[in-house]
Each structure stands twice: as C-alpha cells, then as structure tokens.
Amino acid sequence: MARAENKKAAPTATRLAADIARILRQHAKLTQENLGKKIGYTGSAISAMETGAQPPSEEMLLGLEEVLGQGLGIFKEAVKYIQLDRYPRQFADFALIEMKALTLCSYQTMVVDGLFQTVDYAQALIGGGYPPLPDPWVRGLVEARIGRKTLFSREPIPLIELILEESVLRRVIGSPAIMRDQMEFLIQCTHERNVTIQVLPLDRGKRGEHAGVRGPMKLVETPEHQHLVYLEPQDEGLLISDPAKVSTYMQRYAKIRAQALGPDESMGLIEQLAGER
C-alpha cells in the first residue's frame, strides 16, 4: 500500500523515470542492491526512487544513464523534467518563466524570496511548514529552490531586484545563527552588479503612506518583453498577464521601491541586524 501511495503522490515525470528505471533494471537482471552498487547508492535508495518515495537526484539519473540508458540519453533528458517536478505544483509554470526572465523584481513581506534563500533557511522554512511534508520531499523542494540560483549568473544576465519588509529580517526562521547566515548571504548577493536589494522599514506606515500593505508580488519581463505579475497566496499560484492589471502592479511596485531605504542604506541595516544575531 505504501508503494502505491508513494507512486501516486509523486509527480508525473518522477513516476515515469522511476518506471523506466525499474523496467530496464529488471531487463538487465539486476537487483536493486546490484544497481545501487554500480552507481554509488544503497539498494534502499534505489527502492525509494522506484516507489516514488524519493525523487532521483541529478547524480542518480546520470548514473542510471550510464548503467541502464543503453546510449539513448533517456535519463539525461529526464533531468530537466524532474527538476520541474521538484517545484511545488503552483510554482512550476512560473519557474519556466523565471528561468528565462530578462528582469525579475520581487517584493516580500513574510519571508526571504526563495531565489535568495540559503540552504539552512530554506530547510527550516519548508521543513517547518504545515501540513508537514515527508523528509525526502522536503529535501527535494530545498534542492529545487537552491538550484534556481543559476539565474544569478545565467546569460544573458537578468536584472534582479528584491525589496524586503524589515520584519522579514527580524523574523527568526530556524535559529538566530541561520538568520545571521541568511543576512550575510543577502549582503554577498549585492556584490553582483545585476542584483539590487532594498529594505522597506518597519516605521514606513508612520508617514501616512505604505504602498506595500496589499502583500507580496513578483514582476517579470520575458524575452519577448512581455510584463507579467506572479502572486502566490496560501500555496496558490496566480499569473497575471492582463496589461491594465500588470500596469497597476508595476506602479504599486515602483511606489514601494521609492518608499524603501536606498540600496546602501539597506545594506547598512542588514549588516547591523546580522551583527545583532
């Protein structure tokens, strides 16, 4: 029963790769233990892959290609599809857009944007959510989130902006040490010439205006120069393409950016908070 439930819960590409691996392994007359030894994994890891309990890593897929692939490139080709499987279902479509974005602007009010999260921060955030997820799926989601960082150095280089509410930096996720490392990583990211990070201070509302009270958003410009907005309320993904609505969000984002601390002042605040941790 557990095997059936695991397989049913696994995303489509993961299930297909698992079934192909099992069929080819049996055709080669290899046990799970034998196959595991050939590619550097335990028999239990092969079993977890075949039942869908643990999505295969890129390294495992390349090992399967070498031993079972018969030169066809099946498992090598599966890497990109299983990488998409690792994203939450509501995020997968936007992930494809994000990969090719010319411009990516993010305003976050609760947590650090996933693109900027450290491994430990992502682990604490995903692993501590509700309802709780099985450990293998938490690891898969963390790996997928960290894998998005290739966007920072991709060609053509995208313009990336992040605006964080100051409360995000003060909200402890995991531990004070994890938060310190997370803030130090944010500081490191600003050394990239295509990355800008700003902080919207806690007392912004005292001035009678706060353009960000309606919540977080992501703005993206595609290679075709189309402007889109992505919202993710309560595990639901909403992609907005209507020009009039997108224009409203872009104006609101511009106002949020104007109300935030400047980049240098923002880094000074992050450095101060990191020191306090």
Side-chain angles (χ1 to χ4, degrees), residues 77-89:
E77 189 69 14
V79 170
K80 58 185 178 183
Y81 296 105
I82 291 180
Q83 183 178 8
L84 289 175
D85 267 358
R86 290 175 180 269
Y87 295 125
R89 286 183 173 86

Side-chain angles (χ1 to χ4, degrees), residues 200-215:
L200 191 65
L202 279 174
D203 61 358
R204 176 65 238 181
K206 290 169 61 177
R207 304 184 186 185
E209 291 185 12
H210 192 307
V213 293
R214 298 191 183 185

